[in-house]
Amino acid sequence: MKSAERTLAILEYFREKKRGATVGEIAEGLDLPQSSTTMLLKSLLDLGYLEYSPDSRKFRPSFRVAVLGNWIQRSMFRNGPLTDIMEAIGGAIGETVLLGLQNGPNVRYVHIVPATYRVQLAAQVGLLRPMTCTALGRVLLARKSDAEIKAIIRRNNADAEDSSHRVHEGPFLADLDVVRSQGFAESRGKMTPGANVIAMPVPDQPDSAPLAIGVGGPMARIEEYREEILKVMRHHLRTR
């Protein structure tokens, strides 16, 4: 299990850095022993998932890694690759675009398109957030039964270190009725003070976990361009 986690961490490291790296850089960046990092890199190199340059002594992902998920993109999203849709939304709006899915009682960000603004919503791929406090989480919760929602509310409330991150069951369930009616959710500073995220569900695709896309930034700026953001998201996600 530990080797699998470390292998995936190495691939995520390259995804974030977007450049080649030496054994030492990878070991330091992931806080791993250099000996085990060397072994994992050699295994990935032997399997064809990495390339190695003797001149620079740097590893980088091979084309084999690039095509691993292509079939998922092609099969899941009839309007084109979801990453392309996120890029289009980000290009039209300029704010941070987030893709998330449920991970237990939390939302995990699995892809992010950074904003073009200097002041922007800061987020990282892999970050976990409680479902009850995030716009993406609320969109995903709106699909569930009251019994499932109440269980997640209790779990999120129990895990919350900040009392402001706890929610009251009755009002929260009423809020989800509004989310179902309007087709989107907003965080309005619940998770990150001064920031707002507007989220919508990704249209269901066969055999795939439910996903949600959010557009986030400083609350004042999101409020100023709120209608345009909703218009762009609805257009690209083909929602009402």
Side-chain angles (χ1 to χ4, degrees):
M1 177 65 75
K2 184 175 291 187
S3 293
E5 291 176 351
R6 288 177 173 178
T7 298
L8 293 173
I10 288 171
L11 296 177
E12 287 285 0
Y13 175 89
F14 285 117
R15 184 207 59 76
E16 181 181 349
K17 299 299 183 182
K18 296 180 175 62
R19 58 172 175 78
T22 65
V23 174
E25 289 172 334
I26 296 168
E28 182 180 358
L30 297 176
D31 194 23
L32 296 176
Q34 187 153 327
S35 58
S36 59
T37 303
T38 300
M39 292 177 59
L40 284 172
L41 290 171
K42 186 177 185 304
S43 295
L44 290 169
L45 182 67
D46 291 342
L47 291 169
Y49 292 107
L50 293 182
E51 298 172 352
Y52 178 72
S53 170
D55 294 335
S56 64
R57 301 174 65 185
K58 291 184 177 181
F59 292 85
R60 60 176 294 151
S62 70
F63 187 73
R64 187 176 184 184
V65 172
V67 301
L68 277 176
N70 280 357
W71 69 274
I72 299 175
Q73 289 274 24
R74 288 195 301 269
S75 63
M76 285 176 61
F77 309 111
R78 62 183 180 276
N79 297 327
L82 190 54
T83 50
D84 290 356
I85 292 172
M86 293 176 67
E87 292 284 353
I89 293 172
I93 297 170
E95 298 288 358
T96 302
V97 185
L98 311 162
L99 175 66
L101 52 70
Q102 181 178 357
N103 188 302
N106 301 304
V107 168
R108 185 183 293 276
Y109 297 143
V110 294
H111 186 62
I112 295 173
V113 176
T116 57
Y117 292 101
R118 183 175 61 84
V119 178
Q120 58 182 264
L121 178 70
Q124 294 179 332
V125 169
L127 187 66
L128 288 171
R129 293 296 199 195
M131 294 187 78
T132 53
C133 294
T134 60
L136 279 77
R138 293 182 180 211
V139 161
L140 295 173
L141 283 173
R143 305 164 51 95
K144 298 181 180 296
S145 68
D146 282 359
E148 292 175 296
I149 296 167
K150 289 176 182 177
I152 289 174
I153 290 174
R154 290 193 290 270
R155 178 67 181 277
N156 283 174
N157 283 349
D159 291 342
E161 297 180 358
D162 187 334
S163 61
S164 68
H165 291 164
R166 299 188 181 98
V167 300
H168 297 289
E169 191 174 285
F172 187 81
L173 291 172
D175 287 344
L176 290 187
D177 284 337
V178 175
V179 172
R180 295 184 185 104
S181 174
Q182 65 188 11
F184 65 90
E186 297 184 71
S187 61
R188 293 193 175 276
K190 180 68 177 176
M191 189 70 242
T192 305
N196 189 22
V197 174
I198 299 175
M200 292 183 182
V202 173
D204 282 342
Q205 302 298 322
D207 302 319
S208 65
L211 297 165
I213 280 182
V215 171
M219 193 174 297
R221 200 165 65 214
I222 295 296
E223 186 61 31
E224 180 179 357
Y225 297 105
R226 186 171 180 274
E227 293 306 315
E228 180 64 19
I229 291 170
L230 290 170
K231 179 181 176 181
V232 169
M233 293 182 73
R234 285 169 174 152
H235 170 73
H236 286 286
L237 295 173
R238 303 294 194 269
T239 64
R240 62 181 186 275

